[in-house]
Structure formats: C-alpha cells, structure tokens
Amino acid sequence: MDYASLPSYPPPPSHAPEPQPGNERQLTPRQTQVLIDLTWLAGIMVLILWTRHAVTNIERAQAAERARAVAPPPTPLDFGLVAERFGQIQAGASREEVERLLGPPTERRAWGPEVEEFELRWWNGGKNIFRADREWNRWSDPANPNRWAAVVYWRWPEKEQAVYGKLKKGF
C-alpha cells in the first residue's frame, strides 16, 4: 500500500503554542502581568517606607524646634536674694533644689583663681578628694564682680549630681 494515495489532514489545533527555536523561555501573558504587578507593589512599598522616614525626621525637627522655642532661659534672681538664701543650701542637695533657691546660675562650669585656690585647700595634703566629674556653678552680682557665690556638684552614689561644697566671696 502506498501512503501517498491516502488523504492528508491538518494536525488538530493545540492549546499551547509550539516552542520556537531560540525562544524557549518566553513568559506567558499571565506571568508578565504578575511581574508587572509585583514591580508596582515593590515601588509602592519603597515609597511608603521613604515617606514614613521623611515624616519621622520632620516630626523630630519640629519637636526640637518646639523645645527650643518653648522655654526661654530663666532670668537670674536679684543677688540680694541669692546672698540671703545661700546659707540654706545643704550638702547633698540636688541641682534642681539649688536652682529653686538661688535661681539659674549666671555661669555654668565656672572656674577662676578663687575656685582653684579653694580646691587646693581641699586637696587634703595631696589626697585629692575632688572627683574628676565635678562641676562648679557661679551666681555673680552684676553690680559688683567681686561678689559671687559658687556651688560644686558631683555624682553621689544615690543621686545623679548633688552639692558637695559651696564657696562665697564678698558677702
């Protein structure tokens, strides 16, 4: 029997396209759409995270600005009141208690020849009783620079910083 004499019919239609040479890894339209959607999703997430970061930075800057603008520095008390209340300061008092009595100091981290001489007398024959973390604050009389009061703070075991000693000149 000769096969050439038989009728020839086209092949049945298939649902999948036949692979073409060189295009074995072609994406289907559905896969392409999923990749596009995932790309959009990633972009939106990056935008949201960046916006959150920017908003946080703006809020921090506004809070810092409000903190600077809210409280103007307090004005010092009249030196007569400072001289009157200076004797009420007790050793171990907190910085807040001292500033409640005397008001804000006119000079923080004060230093001068009188303070240095005072510390030398307190060195106790070479045994330095002052710690390195001490801080002197001074309340000065604006009318007479030779009248002032000073307090030295340092860290105590039970308190953050407290009065260790005090010094006055001119009253």
Side-chain angles (χ1 to χ4, degrees):
M1 170 170 196
D2 186 15
Y3 290 111
S5 64
L6 294 175
S8 94
Y9 296 103
S14 71
H15 295 291
E18 290 201 22
Q20 309 228 343
N23 274 343
E24 291 84 21
R25 295 187 179 222
Q26 186 175 6
L27 297 176
T28 65
R30 180 180 172 104
Q31 290 172 329
T32 304
Q33 189 61 45
V34 167
L35 286 177
I36 290 171
D37 291 344
L38 287 174
T39 303
W40 275 105
L41 179 64
I44 290 169
M45 289 181 69
V46 166
L47 182 65
I48 288 172
L49 291 174
W50 176 81
T51 304
R52 179 179 172 210
H53 179 70
V55 167
T56 303
N57 286 342
I58 290 170
E59 288 173 348
R60 283 183 188 157
Q62 288 174 343
E65 186 65 31
R66 280 192 303 270
R68 282 192 298 267
V70 168
T75 57
L77 291 178
D78 179 50
F79 192 75
L81 286 173
V82 171
E84 182 182 314
R85 296 176 180 176
F86 186 72
Q88 298 174 12
I89 298 173
Q90 301 294 322
S94 71
R95 181 184 302 266
E96 291 79 23
E97 292 169 345
V98 172
E99 290 188 13
R100 198 173 318 118
L101 279 173
L102 305 181
T106 53
E107 183 182 358
R108 294 190 188 272
R109 293 179 178 81
W111 192 256
E114 295 90 0
V115 171
E116 187 173 355
E117 179 185 328
F118 183 72
E119 283 196 5
L120 285 173
R121 280 186 280 149
W122 273 18
W123 272 40
N124 195 17
K127 300 175 192 160
N128 187 1
I129 61 171
F130 276 109
R131 295 181 177 167
D133 61 354
R134 66 189 178 277
E135 179 183 329
W136 285 89
N137 286 349
R138 185 187 323 228
W139 289 260
S140 300
D141 185 356
N144 184 356
N146 291 325
R147 288 184 65 198
W148 51 264
V151 173
V152 63
Y153 301 98
W154 75 21
R155 298 198 192 315
W156 291 50
E158 65 274 0
K159 293 186 179 181
E160 179 62 26
Q161 251 189 341
V163 173
Y164 182 76
K166 55 187 184 175
L167 179 63
K168 65 180 181 177
K169 181 178 178 187
F171 66 94

